[in-house]
Amino acid sequence: MFIGAALVSVGLEIFLVPNNIIDGGIVGISIIASHLSHLPIGVFLILFNIPFFFIGYKQIGKTFAFSTLFAVLIMSIGTSILHPVKAFTADPLLAAVFGGVILGVGVGMVIRSGGSLDGTEIMAILFSKKSPFSVGEIVMFFNLFILSSAGFVFGWDHAMYSLIAYYIAYKMIDITIEGFDESKSVWIISENSREIGDAIIHRLGRGVTFLQGEGAFSGGNKLVIFCVINRLEEAKLKSIVEEMDRSAFLAVGNIHDVKGGRFRKKDIH
């Protein structure tokens, strides 16, 4: 959590803030407020997040609230320390790309450690209970409003660069939280289920589970294969299924977390 919050301060003070590029949420509002008032950004990062510490404490729990407080304090102190440091680049596109990457990795590390750096998600949860919109839609609306505000403060070119930085940071948060070793669930229905299952075990090194199914249209019994793989093994598994039964039904979905069972990969030779 400490490293993640420190990375966020690097992304802000070394790349984004000196080039008048903002992020979404409380961070984006803090950058705009700092620019207009000429006060340190760290002051606003703490000030604007204070209400959400109390909301998070009541809605989620004290562990989350204190973890968030710790992360925000580290981020605020980091921005104060790095503020005198000269920006690495004056090119706004490079700043948006590299700042977005560093910011996204840092935020992802904090979230993965059980904390948060932005109160807009908590606010969106509260609003979603009284509106027909989802949490994601409300967060997107807030952030579009904040990023659009950058156009009036810094100019529309910088607002578009801010949108690039926000998108990159958003993607990097997902990658950091889920990891490059993202798991996938696989469902296979075939007339050769036993042979495909054996091939997955011996050629891919993954365990499989056979489930008894019944075709709703045909009424016939079906042997369904279920297994969990990582994203790097998806192409190999598809080639195995294609090789053994071209007409097999194959469904692949993303899984955010896998624990227990015999998921650990067996050695294959």
Side-chain angles (χ1 to χ4, degrees), residues 50-73:
I50 287 176
F52 302 109
F53 296 146
F54 296 101
I55 296 174
Y57 185 90
K58 292 182 178 180
Q59 297 289 330
I60 302 176
K62 63 180 181 180
T63 301
F64 170 80
F66 286 120
S67 297
T68 298
L69 176 61
F70 171 77
V72 171
L73 286 174

Side-chain angles (χ1 to χ4, degrees), residues 117-163:
L117 289 170
D118 198 313
T120 53
E121 287 85 358
I122 300 174
M123 187 164 55
I125 292 172
L126 297 178
F127 274 107
S128 67
K129 294 179 180 179
K130 299 181 180 180
S131 72
F133 302 105
S134 67
V135 174
E137 289 171 339
I138 295 172
V139 169
M140 182 62 69
F141 173 78
F142 285 151
N143 287 331
L144 286 176
F145 176 77
I146 294 166
L147 292 170
S148 298
S149 301
F152 296 99
V153 178
F154 301 116
W156 293 107
D157 286 349
H158 290 280
M160 288 185 279
Y161 286 125
S162 297
L163 189 60

Side-chain angles (χ1 to χ4, degrees), residues 74-100:
I74 296 299
M75 176 178 62
S76 302
I77 294 170
T79 56
S80 299
I81 294 173
L82 294 172
H83 185 69
V85 179
K86 185 179 179 181
F88 278 12
T89 178
D91 186 324
L93 181 58
L94 290 176
V97 172
F98 285 94

